[in-house]
Amino acid sequence: MNHTAPIDTSSPLPSIFPFIPSGENQFADIVVMDLAIIMLVAAVMIAIAFKLKQPMVIGYIFVGMIIGPYTPPFPLVSSLETINLLAELGIIMLLFVIGTEFPVAKLRAVGRISLVVALAEALGTLTIVFFIAQNLGFSFFDSMFLSLAMSITSTVVTVRILEELGMIQDKSSLLLLGISIVEDILAISILGILQSVAAAGGEGDNFSIVSIAISIGVVGAFIGSILVIGSKYMPPIIDRVGRTNDYTMLLLVILALAFGLSFAAQGLGLSVATGAFLAGVLVAESKSATAAKIVTIPLRDMFGAIFFISIGALMDISLIPVFILPAAILILASFASKFLIVTSILVNTKIDNTTALRTGFGLASAKGELSLVVAKGGQDVGAITNSILPILGVVTIITTFITPYIIRFSARLNISEPAEEGASSSQTPQE
């Protein structure tokens, strides 16, 4: 399959507007102008998405496609540097807020069954999708980043749909949450290793065992030191700030933590997503976690929207028709492998059939935020071609659209056989 080169992210682009600023403050003026355009188009498209009762993420991606540099006859934004800057900020805030949902105690309490299922289905799906991508003609690193992205369930999209359907307290939803926790951490760790190996110049069979071992060691040491040392010293500092009841100071401290650990991760050759996620975990360990979540909600919503818009803008939409068929094949492969692995393991562990099927459908359906973070991570180190973002954009739009219908279908299933008392309940992850 003939792929084009990675996106050139330098310099301003031709624009519809003849009055692009010039002079010493050119870049700052361009950023302001581009932000104004992004927010204006976003407001209109989100209103349309709300009216059509479609998930906001679809609206955001379409906004990016409309304003992006690859949309004929002209781009509405004038600088790819602006788009990449906004995407980077969006990744940090999005992963930070996701991390605040995972305190260390919660990570320890996901349950053995959640750990087993997550490892089996994530690694199994990654392997299956990788070989399918290779047979479709994708390069080694394109296949690796694609398969990692396709192995991740969108926790945000899935949980939001479960809440809307009133299924969030269902036994299958608790299992799904536990499995997703392990899956997200595994995906972020593998992303860090992949980026390190790609940055070191490895390619396919030319991987150096030493470089892979070093990458794994760096990722493990970084995550381990943050969770062991950081969780001992940072939560008390955040609590001390929280007791002042000065929410501005609290916000600044947790943002300093988020961007500081993101910078540290980047300095080690890892994704900023790794540092941001771990910063969220440290905040979740503090007694001020609830207050921290409240003050960061507006930032989460704004930067989450900006991230999805930026991803849409970075897609070369002229490639989308070419990759519709590969995207459909990858969706089917990912769905089938995740569903079969999850349900077969759960049934064999004496989970009742209805819970096993609902959990399988829930985990197999949606792709979203972390899948796109993986693609952006590959792009940042120049490891993937610019065909990957359009493919994952199509995958995200399709799976986000069909997930509510799949989960509604699974909610109507009721084929459980009588289970031994306490058998299934003992297998669900503890809260």
Side-chain angles (χ1 to χ4, degrees):
M1 185 173 292
N2 184 22
H3 297 195
T4 52
I7 296 173
D8 177 14
T9 59
S10 62
S11 77
L13 298 159
S15 173
I16 179 178
F17 300 104
F19 50 84
I20 290 181
S22 60
E24 294 182 2
N25 295 323
Q26 180 182 14
F27 181 69
D29 292 339
I30 286 174
V31 170
V32 172
M33 183 177 69
D34 287 345
L35 271 173
I37 295 168
I38 288 170
M39 295 305 174
L40 179 62
V41 178
V44 174
M45 281 299 297
I46 296 312
I48 294 173
F50 179 79
K51 192 74 174 176
L52 297 175
K53 297 182 179 180
Q54 295 303 313
M56 294 299 180
V57 64
I58 295 179
Y60 293 143
I61 292 175
F62 274 119
V63 169
M65 291 179 177
I66 291 171
I67 66 172
Y70 303 103
T71 305
F74 40 69
L76 292 177
V77 294
S78 52
S79 173
L80 276 176
E81 292 178 4
T82 303
I83 297 172
N84 276 284
L85 172 64
L86 295 176
E88 201 79 352
L89 291 173
I91 287 173
I92 291 172
M93 289 309 305
L94 190 63
L95 268 295
F96 169 74
V97 174
I98 290 175
T100 61
E101 300 293 334
F102 299 146
V104 174
K106 190 174 185 179
L107 299 182
R108 291 174 181 154
V110 294
R112 185 166 54 90
I113 186 63
S114 296
L115 180 63
V116 171
V117 173
L119 288 171
E121 62 91 5
L123 296 178
T125 301
L126 191 153
T127 303
I128 292 169
V129 174
F130 171 79
F131 284 111
I132 290 175
Q134 288 276 275
N135 287 321
L136 288 173
F138 289 96
S139 68
F140 180 85
F141 273 117
D142 277 0
S143 300
M144 283 300 299
F145 280 92
L146 263 178
S147 58
L148 178 58
M150 296 299 296
S151 69
I152 309 168
T153 300
S154 174
T155 308
V156 173
V157 172
T158 305
V159 169
R160 194 167 295 175
I161 292 169
L162 290 170
E163 287 175 340
E164 291 174 358
L165 295 176
M167 292 177 59
I168 197 63
Q169 294 300 324
D170 190 82
K171 189 193 306 179
S172 62
S173 299
L174 298 178
L175 264 173
L176 191 154
L177 178 59
I179 295 168
S180 296
I181 290 172
V182 182
E183 191 181 75
D184 289 351
I185 295 170
L186 185 64
I188 292 169
S189 302
I190 294 175
L191 173 61
I193 295 168
L194 266 181
Q195 284 187 305
S196 297
V197 172
E203 176 64 39
D205 296 331
N206 296 323
F207 275 156
S208 164
I209 299 299
V210 174
S211 67
I212 295 175
I214 291 174
S215 298
I216 294 173
V218 169
V219 173
F222 182 68
I223 295 176
S225 61
I226 295 300
L227 293 181
V228 174
I229 300 173
S231 62
K232 182 177 180 180
Y233 294 105
M234 282 309 304
I237 294 174
I238 295 170
D239 287 334
R240 183 174 296 181
V241 175
R243 284 195 293 270
T244 66
N245 291 322
D246 187 333
Y247 290 118
T248 301
M249 186 187 301
L250 178 62
L251 178 62
L252 290 175
V253 168
I254 60 180
L255 286 180
L257 179 63
F259 282 92
L261 287 184
S262 296
F263 176 73
Q266 191 175 49
L268 292 171
L270 308 178
S271 171
V272 294
T274 308
F277 179 83
L278 292 172
V281 172
L282 294 183
V283 170
E285 281 291 285
S286 70
K287 297 175 183 177
S288 304
T290 301
K293 289 179 188 178
I294 292 172
V295 298
T296 54
I297 282 175
L299 291 175
R300 176 201 66 187
D301 293 341
M302 181 180 77
F303 283 104
I306 286 175
F307 169 69
F308 287 115
I309 291 170
S310 302
I311 291 298
L314 290 170
M315 292 179 192
D316 187 345
I317 64 172
S318 66
L319 298 176
I320 289 178
V322 178
F323 293 111
I324 285 288
L325 182 58
I329 293 172
L330 292 171
I331 290 172
L332 290 173
S334 172
F335 184 94
S337 58
K338 287 175 80 73
F339 176 77
L340 292 174
I341 293 171
V342 170
T343 52
S344 60
I345 292 176
L346 291 179
V347 168
N348 286 328
T349 54
K350 309 302 182 183
I351 296 290
D352 64 86
N353 293 337
T354 298
T355 299
L357 287 172
R358 287 178 180 176
T359 306
F361 278 120
L363 283 167
S365 304
K367 306 291 179 286
E369 64 288 341
L370 273 182
S371 297
L372 296 174
V373 168
V374 166
K376 185 66 172 59
Q379 185 194 85
D380 287 343
V381 295
I384 62 173
T385 58
N386 62 349
S387 61
I388 302 305
L389 273 177
I391 290 174
L392 289 176
V394 171
V395 167
T396 300
I397 291 170
I398 292 174
T399 57
T400 301
F401 180 77
I402 65 175
T403 294
Y405 301 101
I406 293 174
I407 293 180
R408 283 193 185 99
F409 169 77
S410 70
R412 289 195 291 266
L413 294 175
N414 189 14
I415 56 175
S416 296
E417 298 173 359
E420 295 180 11
E421 186 176 352
S424 61
S425 61
S426 65
Q427 303 294 332
T428 56
Q430 301 172 9
E431 284 291 296

